[in-house]
Each structure stands twice: as structure tokens, then as C-alpha cells.
Amino acid sequence: MLHISNTVELADWEIELNPIRAQGAGGQNVNKVASAIHLRFDIQRSTLPPFYKERLLALTDQRITQEGVVIIKAQRFRTQEHNREDALARLRELIREAVKQQKTRKPTKPTRSAKRKRVDAKTRKGKTKNLRGKVTR
């Protein structure tokens, strides 16, 4: 079971974990041990609430295919167990970020004193630059 929130959990049958060989440097160990994990999670077939599914499918994330399948490749660690935990943690974080409510931005206007300070600063800067001119005798 993958615990997402207080009310939402994913069953083991919903997440497909396949061990694969990791890429990159690592010598003999990387060539003979399948320590990386390839995680597949079908959003449509899952038991997630409809709100979660809508938000996930609306994401423009490269880990989500056109068919609505989340694919995560975890090969950060040397052991398969660590990579499995890493893949599940990344899936959990992706789902949590998708359903997080963004605060609505309220446009604000500068205060009267802020406007006055800005104009005063411009005036002071202009006077300083005016003193840099050629000296006439």
C-alpha cells in the first residue's frame, strides 16, 4: 500500500514495478545486476478519486504519457530496495503536487508613500548625474 494522504491509498496491484539494469558508470556491478526500477502507474485504471485523476491528467509532465500512464525510472542508488523506495516516493510526491491547491494571486498597487519615495529617489539620482557634467568656467 502506498499512502498518499489521510484518505487516499494506492493498492500494490495498481503499481507495476519492474527491475531493470541501470545505465551509466558503475563497472561490473551495473553490468550484471538489475538494480534500477521501472515504475508504471495507469491513472485511468487506478482507484484514485476523480479529482486526483483529473488533476494528474491535466499536468504537463514528461513522466505522464498521452495514454495517462506515469512512468518513473529510479536508478539513483546501488540497491534495488533503495531504488524501489525512491520510485514510490517520487510517485507519491507527483500525486501530492498535482492536487495541491495554488493560492490565488491578488494584484496589489503600490502605496502613496512608496510612489513618493520612488520619485524622490529618481530626483536625487538625476541631481547626482547632473553634477557629472563638464565644468564650465
Side-chain angles (χ1 to χ4, degrees):
M1 294 291 270
L2 181 63
H3 183 73
I4 305 294
S5 69
N6 292 338
T7 57
V8 179
E9 288 184 342
L10 293 176
D12 292 335
W13 64 267
E14 298 182 71
I15 302 167
E16 183 182 331
L17 297 167
N18 296 322
I20 57 172
R21 285 190 183 166
Q23 294 175 325
Q28 287 180 340
N29 189 57
V30 108
N31 295 330
K32 64 183 180 179
V33 178
S35 61
I37 292 291
H38 198 255
L39 179 143
R40 292 178 64 86
F41 173 68
D42 192 348
I43 298 169
Q44 300 287 9
R45 290 189 326 127
S46 70
T47 58
L48 285 173
F51 172 72
Y52 279 65
K53 289 181 183 181
E54 289 170 14
R55 295 294 292 264
L56 272 172
L57 291 171
L59 282 180
T60 54
D61 194 306
Q62 64 184 10
R63 296 172 289 185
I64 301 174
T65 65
Q66 297 255 331
E67 296 80 36
V69 178
V70 178
I71 299 174
I72 296 176
K73 184 177 181 184
Q75 60 180 9
R76 198 178 303 171
F77 300 102
R78 284 179 60 101
T79 63
Q80 198 178 95
E81 293 77 29
H82 280 95
N83 284 328
R84 181 176 283 118
E85 291 169 10
D86 182 42
L88 292 172
R90 285 161 54 187
L91 176 64
R92 180 186 304 117
E93 192 58 34
L94 176 71
I95 295 171
R96 284 182 180 169
E97 287 297 318
V99 297
K100 190 180 287 184
Q101 292 288 342
Q102 295 292 326
K103 289 184 179 178
T104 55
R105 184 184 177 279
K106 297 175 186 170
T108 58
K109 294 181 180 178
T111 60
R112 187 178 296 141
S113 66
K115 288 179 187 175
R116 189 172 8 87
K117 287 177 186 176
R118 185 179 68 84
V119 173
D120 291 347
K122 287 177 73 157
T123 307
R124 275 196 311 273
K125 193 75 163 173
K127 287 179 183 173
T128 304
K129 287 186 172 192
N130 203 15
L131 292 174
R132 292 182 191 156
K134 285 189 174 184
V135 179
T136 55
R137 289 185 183 199

